């Protein structure tokens, strides 16, 4: 595995630094200009989070859509919001603008990590191309207006990728604990990323074939994760009288059993049954009586819903286009479609970090087939898709250039 642990600007030429600075100025301008020039819509979930956070601060009750304690949602975003609310004195100041500007800062940090990852895997050209694509990708701009989990979770997730790769390279307990802490914070924000711990260490074992070393790093990583998750787990054991690692919400799984979101198909009788009971019955009836429909829905149907469109944020007026509509759609579609090529390239680089990142997108895509599909779910995958597209794209261009150069400059003939 190539070294990821090097000084950020080692070997950088002035032109590279200037280009990077210009890209980040552009990224910051687009994000701040977006926040300042539009009226932001407030999503339903955001309204519920706001009610919840005020209830936490004023009554000490952690309950989502309830005045009683529950564990419907994990505490990452609510605690982040509560900290900002407290810091800015929410009773006299609207905390939403402050959260949005903090999200801009997190978005720029995520962009920098994307640049670092791409640069170390594919060189300076891949790094700069990744930074430029991430700077102007519309979803990464619009999302800063939404007080939801996307920006915070993506920052934590990309940070985890970066630190986990270093942990595998350095093989020290400090980096392993740090990677565990970061994935723990990510899980507290969006619980579905828990399986990545097992996937990544499984891949590391396939790389090294050293089960003792893999087990050691895995256990240390779990310790870091446990340190972060333990207050939440203990709270749930004390308050809820049950072990809840992430959250108890089952609605996304149940809603995912309705092909193409047809909630009135009448496939099963829902009267007097829990959401989980209805979901299990729908899966049994669907795959036995309508296998074609359910197989299509649980494969290409949901993937189309997830990756077919960009995440728009919470909505805003007037429309902030970033660049023309047709190009915007084409840009997203090209990124997603070229990722299929990038996957092939990553498969050929099995023992390199590219394969690790590609596996994260594949695994998370498969996991999301279990739940109701939303195009906002592609948001956390797009940093990796952009990184790998640029890394493999630059490598492909170099390979084509080398082949063409070899044809145009054949080796000189031998003479007696």
């Amino acid at each position: 595995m190539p070294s990821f642990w090097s000084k950020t600007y080692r070997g950088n030429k002035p032109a590279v630094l200037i280009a990077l600075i210009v890209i980040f100025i552009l990224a910051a301008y687009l994000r701040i200009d977006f926040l300042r020039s539009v009226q932001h819509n407030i999503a339903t979930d955001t309204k519920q989070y706001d009610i919840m956070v005020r209830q936490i601060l004023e009554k000490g009750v952690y309950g989502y859509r309830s005045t009683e304690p529950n564990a419907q949602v994990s505490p990452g975003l609510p605690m982040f919001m509560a900290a900002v609310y407290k810091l800015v004195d929410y009773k006299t100041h609207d905390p939403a603008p402050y959260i949005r500007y903090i999200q801009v800062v997190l978005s720029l940090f995520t962009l920098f990590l994307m640049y670092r990852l791409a640069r170390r895997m594919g060189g300076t050209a891949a790094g700069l191309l990744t930074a430029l694509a991430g700077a102007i990708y519309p979803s990464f701009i619009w999302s800063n207006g939404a007080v939801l989990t996307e920006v915070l979770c993506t920052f934590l997730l990309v940070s985890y990728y970066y630190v986990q790769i270093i942990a595998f390279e350095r093989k020290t307990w400090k980096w392993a604990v740090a990677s565990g802490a970061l994935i723990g914070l990510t899980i507290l924000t969006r619980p579905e990323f828990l399986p990545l711990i097992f996937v990544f260490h499984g891949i590391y074992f396939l790389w090294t074939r050293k089960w003792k070393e893999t087990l050691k790093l895995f256990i240390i990583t779990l310790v870091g994760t446990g340190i972060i998750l333990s207050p939440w787990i203990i709270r749930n054991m004390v308050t809820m009288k049950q072990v809840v690692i992430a959250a108890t919400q089952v609605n996304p799984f149940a809603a995912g059993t309705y092909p193409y979101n047809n909630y009135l198909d009448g496939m099963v009788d829902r009267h007097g049954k829990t959401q989980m009971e209805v979901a299990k019955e729908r899966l049994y009836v669907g795959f036995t009586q309508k296998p074609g429909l359910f197989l299509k829905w649980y494969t290409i149907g949901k993937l189309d819903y997830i990756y077919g469109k960009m995440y728009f944020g919470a909505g805003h007026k007037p429309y902030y286009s970033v660049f023309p509509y047709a190009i915007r759609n084409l840009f997203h579609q090209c990124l997603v479609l070229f990722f299929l090529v990038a996957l092939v390239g990553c498969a050929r680089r099995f023992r390199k970090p590219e394969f690790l990142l590609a596996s994260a997108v594949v695994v998370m895509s498969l996991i999301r087939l279990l739940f109701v599909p939303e195009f906002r779910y592609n948001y956390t995958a797009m940093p990796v898709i952009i990184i790998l597209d640029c890394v493999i794209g630059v490598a492909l261009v170099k390979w084509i250039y080398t082949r063409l150069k070899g044809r145009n400059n054949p080796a000189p003939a031998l003479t007696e």
Side-chain angles (χ1 to χ4, degrees):
M1 188 191 306
S3 177
F4 268 69
W5 186 243
S6 61
K7 292 183 178 179
T8 300
Y9 300 115
R10 181 181 296 172
N12 270 354
K13 297 179 180 179
V16 175
L17 290 176
I18 292 172
L20 189 62
I21 291 171
V22 170
I23 290 172
F24 271 82
I25 290 174
L26 173 64
Y29 168 77
L30 289 172
R31 286 154 175 76
I32 294 173
D33 184 59
F34 165 69
L35 292 186
R36 291 173 60 88
S37 63
V38 305
Q39 179 181 351
H40 302 281
N41 297 341
I42 307 299
T44 301
D45 287 347
T46 301
K47 294 177 182 178
Q48 294 299 328
Y49 278 123
D50 176 70
I51 295 171
M52 177 185 184
V53 170
R54 292 174 186 272
Q55 179 175 270
I56 292 171
L57 294 175
E58 296 168 8
K59 299 180 180 179
V61 177
Y62 185 98
Y64 184 73
R65 294 177 180 266
S66 174
T67 57
E68 299 294 327
N70 63 35
Q72 284 287 307
V73 296
S74 52
L77 179 64
M79 292 299 100
F80 168 71
M81 291 175 63
V84 177
Y85 276 44
K86 195 72 174 177
L87 185 64
V88 304
D89 188 6
Y90 70 98
K91 292 185 178 180
T92 56
H93 299 93
D94 182 6
Y98 294 91
I99 293 176
R100 293 187 181 109
Y101 280 104
I102 292 172
Q103 289 185 153
V104 167
V105 176
L106 295 179
S107 175
L108 293 175
F109 272 115
T110 302
L111 185 62
F112 179 72
L113 291 173
M114 290 170 59
Y115 161 75
R116 288 286 292 144
L117 284 165
R119 180 173 180 262
R120 298 309 302 169
M121 288 188 289
T124 301
L128 291 176
L129 188 59
T130 295
L132 179 60
I136 64 175
Y137 181 62
S139 282
F140 292 169
I141 297 168
W142 298 330
S143 59
N144 293 289
V147 183
L148 293 168
T149 60
E150 274 66 36
V151 175
L152 176 62
C153 179
T154 302
F155 165 70
L156 294 171
L157 182 63
V158 176
S159 299
Y160 165 66
Y161 291 151
Y162 189 80
V163 173
Q164 183 65 83
I165 290 172
I166 296 175
F168 284 156
E169 177 192 308
R170 306 282 285 186
K171 303 177 182 65
T172 63
W173 70 268
K174 293 181 180 179
W175 285 108
V177 168
S179 69
L182 283 169
I183 190 61
L185 290 171
T186 305
I187 293 166
L188 287 181
T189 309
R190 291 276 283 274
E192 71 258 33
F193 292 102
L194 176 61
L196 289 182
I197 303 176
F198 305 93
V199 173
F200 281 9
H201 285 83
I203 292 174
Y204 181 76
F205 172 73
L206 294 177
W207 282 351
T208 63
R209 299 293 179 175
K210 298 178 180 178
W211 70 269
K212 290 184 179 180
E213 181 177 277
T214 303
L215 182 61
K216 174 185 174 182
L217 290 174
F218 176 65
I219 291 174
I220 295 173
T221 301
L222 285 182
V223 169
T225 306
I227 291 172
I228 298 299
L229 295 181
S230 57
W232 173 241
I233 296 174
I234 292 171
R235 177 265 179 190
N236 292 331
M237 292 174 65
V238 173
T239 304
M240 309 300 298
K241 308 302 181 182
Q242 59 180 313
V243 177
V244 178
I245 296 176
T248 59
Q249 194 173 28
V250 299
N251 182 61
F253 174 73
T257 65
Y258 292 84
Y260 299 95
N261 298 336
N262 179 13
Y263 297 109
L264 301 175
D265 61 8
M267 186 177 295
V268 301
D269 181 16
R270 294 182 289 182
H271 183 71
K273 301 174 183 175
T274 65
Q275 285 188 329
M276 184 58 71
E277 290 172 341
V278 172
K280 290 179 179 179
E281 186 175 351
R282 287 186 58 82
L283 288 174
Y284 175 78
V285 173
F287 279 104
T288 55
Q289 298 182 12
K290 300 180 179 180
L293 174 63
F294 267 68
L295 283 173
K296 183 180 179 182
W297 172 236
Y298 273 87
T299 51
I300 59 176
K302 289 192 177 185
L303 287 175
D304 181 55
Y305 264 77
I306 293 171
Y307 290 103
K309 297 179 181 178
M310 287 186 292
Y311 174 54
F312 194 72
H316 56 272
K317 295 178 182 179
Y319 176 69
Y320 195 88
S321 62
V322 183
F323 42 79
Y325 179 85
I327 298 176
R328 183 198 78 195
N329 281 347
L330 183 63
F331 184 36
H332 173 75
Q333 292 166 2
C334 286
L335 288 173
V336 172
L337 292 175
F338 189 77
F339 184 65
L340 300 176
V341 177
L343 282 176
V344 176
C346 292
R348 295 175 61 88
R349 302 182 177 198
F350 170 69
R351 297 186 181 277
K352 295 185 178 182
E354 294 93 307
F355 183 84
L356 199 72
L357 295 183
S359 70
V361 175
V362 172
V363 168
M364 292 313 304
S365 297
L366 293 175
I367 289 173
R368 285 180 177 128
L369 294 181
L370 299 174
F371 304 100
V372 62
E374 296 282 352
F375 55 82
R376 64 182 287 195
Y377 292 162
N378 74 47
Y379 184 88
T380 53
M382 290 312 297
V384 171
I385 289 176
I386 290 173
I387 290 168
L388 296 182
D389 279 358
C390 293
V391 169
I392 300 301
V394 168
L396 187 59
V397 169
K398 289 180 178 178
W399 179 79
I400 293 173
Y401 174 77
T402 302
R403 292 290 295 256
L404 293 176
K405 186 177 180 181
R407 290 180 181 179
N408 295 331
N409 298 288
L414 297 174
T415 57
E416 294 182 359

